[in-house]
Amino acid sequence: MITSSFMRLARYTSASNGMADQCFVEIPHPIGGIPSEELEAKIKNAFPHILAAMTGWRPRASKTPAAKPSYPADTIKIRGTVSDIQELFFKRSLSTGLPFVPPTRRLVANMLAGTSHAPDEIVWDGIPPRMGIVTVELVAACAVMAGCKPQYMPTLLAIAEAMKEPELGYAHQATTTGTESLLFLISGPMVKEIGIACGTGAAGLCFQANASIGYAIGLISKVIGGSLPPDRDHSTLASPADLLNYVLGENEGELAWASYAVEQGYGKNEDLVTAKVVYQPLDISDHNSTTGKELLKYTAYSINQPYTTCMKHSPVLLGWCPEHADLLVRSGYTKASIRQYLWENARYPVSVYAKAAWDRGICSPNEDFPELRYGSETLVPIVAKPEDIQMIVCGGAGKHSQFWPGPKAMVSKRIGPWR
Amino acid sequence: MVPEEIEWELVNPQGVCKPILANIAARPSTLEDKTIGLYWNAKNGGKEVLERIAGLLGERFKGLKVIKYWEAVPESRTFGGLDPKTLSSMASLRADIVICSHGD
């Protein structure tokens, strides 16, 4: 049973997962958040179709899809102008509407020089929802289109490797109604080597490495992965970051604490990419606090909001600006004590969740809150455990930190093996 | 000035899809004495729809058994995708037919 708004996505996903024919019964969208009598009418209308489908439906015989070689990629020959290419690619869902550099064979070959890996190597054997095969050659083609330099290739390939880990939640991010994007934190000497911005404006799009890597990943997602609105990427409103993503470096020159990478057990000189699915960031603008306690109190209040899931294990990411980080260090705070403070003080009443949230399992008691129940005014933390609050130092002068909530886990991959 | 037209030879960045074939199980000819699995992906309204359909089916077919995966395999109650272990747990309950609800 599929609600009408998602039928095209369901058929597409079914087909790309080997079921060209699947038994669907369509129910008018929505089924959530409507009066019970309206839902009952939808069920009664759908029931005869469900009944017929359960015993009367027969799938058409499926054929094993012809295995086309994933390398080399097809060539597109065209006589025309750059504008003609932009138009052709957009019409064929080979681009997204933003201008791009035409991926000529020569430019793609130049890009491939940025890695020792062979162009036919498969990096991801099925990026959803299209289940497109991501080869090193195709990563290079997307990198060309996005304006990357060859030396960005190892970072791009490590990002693709991180994206395919199920715990990151990419498949969900690619099709969800939520305003989800991808954030990639780059750490280690690679930050300086390829010019990843980590200071002023790092999370923006005015630095070539950050912007073009984010755009290239967007092309991999939208073109190879087929995550395009409105039929496959269902983000209700989406955001520019849905295509361009966030790519930034940890500001290790300003670090008051061990970097995220070191904290996770990696060496200080190891090049690393850490991926996270994020919602839109929140600006924590505090120009007034003169003690760490004041800043943390202000921060706890700023980030204190209910999320899709109540106290589930999804890390949130705090990007402290250097001035805020410095204030916290001067006040004697460590990462552990900051986590503890925010976990204890960024709390809201669980009564904000409707009954349906309890029925859906969004809310449930846990070891810290065994007596939790619907309607209770018990204050609950924004995440299950203090260690679910991750933090980095990034950005330049000023007193604006950022906060990225988001579902699922953070996934790290070494860049070195992709050189 | 009209831009110059030239011959281009470009790499198609889309590539090919992974060849997958999933054989779909045959449907039973009757629902009597059969086991129906109900899969709810934790989206709003889905459970209510499945519960009601289970009720309507129970009124029509004798001996019908129902597995509510959200109760039998609580890990299945997610909209973030099912991992292989959870899928195996669901499959081990051996339903004859499964109704899934996907909506919002």
Side-chain angles (χ1 to χ4, degrees):
Chain A
M1 297 178 301
I2 312 286
T3 63
S4 46
S5 294
F6 299 98
M7 185 54 84
R8 285 181 186 221
L9 173 62
R11 289 196 188 285
Y12 184 86
T13 305
S14 177
S16 61
N17 282 279
M19 293 170 282
D21 196 19
Q22 180 56 287
C23 179
F24 293 118
V25 173
E26 185 171 324
I27 297 181
H29 187 79
I31 55 173
I34 59 174
S36 55
E37 56 273 23
E38 200 179 316
L39 187 61
E40 177 71 14
K42 289 184 180 185
I43 294 168
K44 283 208 165 151
N45 284 335
F47 187 66
H49 301 288
I50 292 167
L51 210 48
M54 290 176 80
T55 54
W57 183 80
R58 295 285 178 273
R60 284 174 293 162
S62 294
K63 290 187 293 185
T64 304
K68 294 181 189 164
S70 55
Y71 177 84
D74 287 345
T75 297
I76 297 172
K77 290 183 177 175
I78 175 177
R79 179 176 178 78
T81 63
V82 169
S83 298
D84 294 331
I85 294 168
Q86 307 286 328
E87 188 73 12
L88 175 75
F89 269 51
F90 182 66
K91 279 185 180 163
R92 290 176 56 177
S93 298
L94 304 179
S95 73
T96 61
L98 274 187
F100 59 88
V101 177
T104 63
R105 285 273 168 210
R106 187 176 60 82
L107 288 176
V108 173
N110 287 348
M111 189 61 68
L112 285 165
T115 177
S116 62
H117 287 251
D120 64 347
E121 182 175 336
I122 293 173
V123 184
W124 190 345
D125 71 347
I127 175 172
R130 180 173 166 262
M131 303 309 283
I133 296 177
V134 182
T135 60
V136 171
E137 180 193 38
L138 292 183
V139 171
C142 291
V144 168
M145 291 173 71
C148 292
K149 293 179 179 175
Q151 53 265 45
Y152 304 169
M153 276 295 286
T155 302
L156 273 169
L157 290 163
I159 285 175
E161 186 191 8
M163 284 168 64
K164 72 180 181 184
E165 295 294 343
E167 59 265 34
L168 178 69
Y170 172 76
H172 181 255
Q173 185 269 334
T175 56
T176 179
T177 51
T179 312
E180 293 181 6
S181 313
L182 293 162
L183 181 145
F184 302 105
L185 175 70
I186 317 295
S187 29
M190 183 64 82
V191 171
K192 280 190 180 157
E193 184 179 323
I194 64 172
I196 294 281
C198 54
T200 299
L205 290 165
C206 292
F207 297 93
Q208 186 180 5
N210 304 48
S212 63
I213 289 173
Y215 184 20
I217 292 300
L219 289 169
I220 290 168
S221 169
K222 304 296 177 189
V223 176
I224 310 175
S227 168
L228 283 164
D231 294 338
R232 301 167 209 161
D233 179 356
H234 268 273
S235 183
T236 305
L237 193 57
S239 80
D242 194 29
L243 169 63
L244 300 170
N245 305 297
Y246 298 97
V247 177
L248 68 159
E250 187 158 12
N251 200 339
E252 296 185 51
E254 300 280 357
L255 277 184
W257 309 287
S259 69
Y260 176 81
V262 170
E263 200 184 6
Q264 298 303 309
Y266 294 93
K268 194 171 178 179
N269 288 317
E270 276 191 287
D271 294 317
L272 198 73
V273 59
T274 299
K276 172 161 177 55
V277 174
V278 294
Y279 297 126
Q280 292 301 287
L282 173 83
D283 188 292
I284 302 167
S285 170
D286 182 1
H287 293 75
N288 303 307
S289 294
T290 55
T291 66
K293 180 74 179 287
E294 287 174 333
L295 173 60
L296 284 181
K297 187 174 181 182
Y298 186 90
T299 301
Y301 194 84
S302 299
I303 66 176
N304 185 21
Q305 53 175 301
Y307 297 100
T308 306
T309 54
C310 172
M311 289 192 295
K312 305 297 181 190
H313 278 282
S314 297
V316 294
L317 182 63
L318 252 170
W320 292 115
C321 64
E323 291 179 33
H324 280 168
D326 184 58
L327 178 58
L328 291 166
V329 170
R330 281 190 284 110
S331 302
Y333 284 96
T334 62
K335 281 189 175 182
S337 60
I338 292 168
R339 287 190 176 106
Q340 190 65 32
Y341 181 93
L342 293 175
W343 186 74
E344 288 174 1
N345 290 278
R347 294 190 176 197
Y348 57 87
V350 77
S351 62
V352 301
Y353 288 105
K355 179 72 166 58
W358 295 80
D359 295 341
R360 292 171 63 201
I362 297 296
C363 302
S364 53
N366 62 25
E367 60 182 5
D368 292 307
F369 297 88
E371 306 299 326
L372 210 61
R373 57 180 173 75
Y374 167 62
S376 161
E377 292 305 314
T378 302
L379 297 175
V380 291
I382 59 171
V383 286
K385 297 286 182 188
E387 53 268 31
D388 295 327
I389 301 171
Q390 295 296 347
M391 58 192 86
I392 58 174
V393 178
C394 55
K399 294 180 175 62
H400 296 267
S401 294
Q402 287 197 16
F403 175 67
W404 288 278
K408 296 280 188 173
M410 292 169 75
V411 173
S412 297
K413 294 288 176 187
R414 289 182 173 90
I415 297 172
W418 290 103
R419 282 186 182 269
Chain B
M1 186 175 163
V2 180
E4 189 187 358
E5 289 192 352
I6 57 172
E7 298 285 347
W8 297 86
E9 195 170 312
L10 305 167
V11 174
N12 182 335
Q14 195 171 44
V16 300
C17 292
K18 181 180 183 178
I20 305 172
L21 176 64
N23 289 314
I24 298 173
R27 267 48 181 173
S29 54
T30 175
L31 296 181
E32 287 188 2
D33 299 316
K34 292 289 188 288
T35 300
I36 311 292
L38 301 177
Y39 168 57
W40 174 48
N41 72 342
K43 285 289 187 176
N44 274 315
K47 189 172 78 166
E48 289 75 6
V49 171
L50 290 169
E51 296 263 27
R52 185 74 182 101
I53 285 167
L56 291 168
L57 288 171
E59 291 167 13
R60 288 183 178 233
F61 300 99
K62 63 176 185 180
L64 195 78
K65 284 181 246 157
V66 170
I67 302 166
K68 297 176 183 176
Y69 292 115
W70 64 88
E71 291 175 356
V73 186
E75 313 86 82
S76 70
R77 198 168 59 177
T78 173
F79 47 81
L82 296 172
D83 60 51
K85 192 177 162 199
T86 304
L87 274 171
S88 292
S89 300
M90 294 166 72
S92 71
L93 300 175
R94 308 200 69 79
D96 294 295
I97 192 163
V98 176
I99 306 176
C100 309
S101 136
H102 286 265
D104 219 340

